[in-house]
Amino acid sequence: MKILKKIIIFQFIIFSLIFANKIAVATKIKGLVDIMQVGKKEFDNLSPGTILSDGDKIRTGSKGFVAIIFIDDKSTLKLKENSEVVISGQISSASISKKINMDIGTVRATVTKQNTEFVIQTPTSVASVKGTDFWLVTNPDTGDEIIGLEGIVGLTNSETGQEIDVSEGMSGISTPGGSLGLQETDQSSIPDDPSEETEGPSEIRIYLEGPNGEQKVMIIDYQ
């Protein structure tokens, strides 16, 4: 009975956040990281523990870094310096169909097995995943590089519609001119992940008020 009660409380919190268009939480932050909240026209500093809404825009400065965790399944995004993304999510039962629009920069996506869509779209390509770990480096002038660390990423060139699968140990290259290729990953091309050296809380607590005025808390633990 206690386990069932905890599950019900957890589901209530998830539903409450999702229906309020709250989809993710900013966790570790280093250097300059800004947010333009949906509906606003100016950027503000992003702080650890900030709950992110559908449509929020995040950018990192020249030495910036931020880790973002989605509230439904703990999939994570790690944005390195000089990156800019819009985080979007559509409700599907108790889960979120995720779409990341990325103009420029470097991101690591660690995605749990998905029953819903998880897509990263750049000016050049679309990366579709179900459950995997990979780096994406994008530049509107030169195109995209997907570096597979685990699982499979579907990479589609937006100019031609050509598709390839990028698996562990391989890199997919997609260019604005329409070319799409696959090659063995050069280990020296794999970006450093600064999350281990970045300070930040290892636990986020989200407090909500229930329909009868009772207090509910959602605890997100992460590495």
Side-chain angles (χ1 to χ4, degrees), residues 123-124 140-143 157-160 174-180:
T124 302
D141 295 326
T142 58
N157 184 276
S158 299
E159 178 70 21
T160 63
S174 179
T175 70
S179 66
L180 191 64

Side-chain angles (χ1 to χ4, degrees), residues 34-88:
D34 292 331
I35 179 172
M36 183 187 293
Q37 294 178 315
V38 61
K40 294 188 177 181
K41 296 182 178 181
E42 295 182 354
F43 281 96
D44 295 309
N45 289 339
L46 181 62
S47 301
T50 299
I51 302 175
L52 305 178
S53 300
D54 173 30
D56 283 348
K57 189 171 189 175
I58 311 295
R59 71 180 183 188
T60 57
S62 60
K63 296 182 180 180
F65 170 81
V66 59
I68 295 167
I69 185 168
F70 288 92
I71 63 174
D72 61 331
D73 61 8
K74 295 188 179 180
S75 292
T76 61
L77 294 175
K78 298 175 182 178
L79 296 177
K80 295 197 69 175
E81 66 276 0
N82 299 320
S83 299
E84 192 167 302
V85 302
V86 175
I87 309 291
S88 301

Side-chain angles (χ1 to χ4, degrees), residues 85-220:
V85 302
V86 175
I87 309 291
S88 301
Q90 298 296 319
I91 302 165
S92 176
S93 277
S95 59
I96 301 170
S97 296
K98 307 166 187 71
K99 183 177 181 182
I100 315 302
N101 289 291
M102 187 168 184
D103 293 331
I104 191 169
T106 302
V107 63
R108 181 175 181 175
T110 304
V111 183
T112 60
K113 188 175 181 180
Q114 299 286 298
N115 294 318
T116 55
E117 184 179 51
F118 192 113
V119 168
I120 301 180
Q121 184 166 353
T122 75
T124 302
S125 314
V126 177
S128 302
V129 300
K130 287 294 184 181
T132 188
D133 187 3
F134 66 96
W135 283 99
L136 168 60
V137 182
T138 182
N139 184 299
D141 295 326
T142 58
D144 302 333
E145 180 180 12
I146 291 277
I147 302 173
L149 302 179
E150 184 179 328
I152 296 176
V153 184
L155 180 62
T156 303
N157 184 276
S158 299
E159 178 70 21
T160 63
Q162 184 182 356
E163 302 177 16
I164 59 172
D165 287 335
V166 183
S167 57
E168 180 179 350
M170 302 298 291
S171 293
I173 308 296
S174 179
T175 70
S179 66
L180 191 64
L182 195 63
Q183 63 189 33
E184 187 173 346
T185 297
D186 178 355
Q187 295 299 307
S188 66
S189 71
I190 301 176
D192 294 329
D193 186 339
S195 59
E196 295 297 327
E197 294 82 32
T198 303
E199 293 185 1
S202 60
E203 177 184 278
I204 295 291
R205 291 175 176 259
I206 301 172
Y207 294 92
L208 291 173
E209 185 172 301
N212 299 317
E214 67 273 24
Q215 294 294 315
K216 307 292 184 181
V217 60
M218 178 181 181
I219 302 173
I220 300 178

Side-chain angles (χ1 to χ4, degrees), residues 21-39:
N21 289 324
K22 306 299 184 182
I23 60 174
V25 180
T27 58
K28 295 183 177 182
I29 292 177
K30 179 181 180 181
L32 181 61
V33 182
D34 292 331
I35 179 172
M36 183 187 293
Q37 294 178 315
V38 61

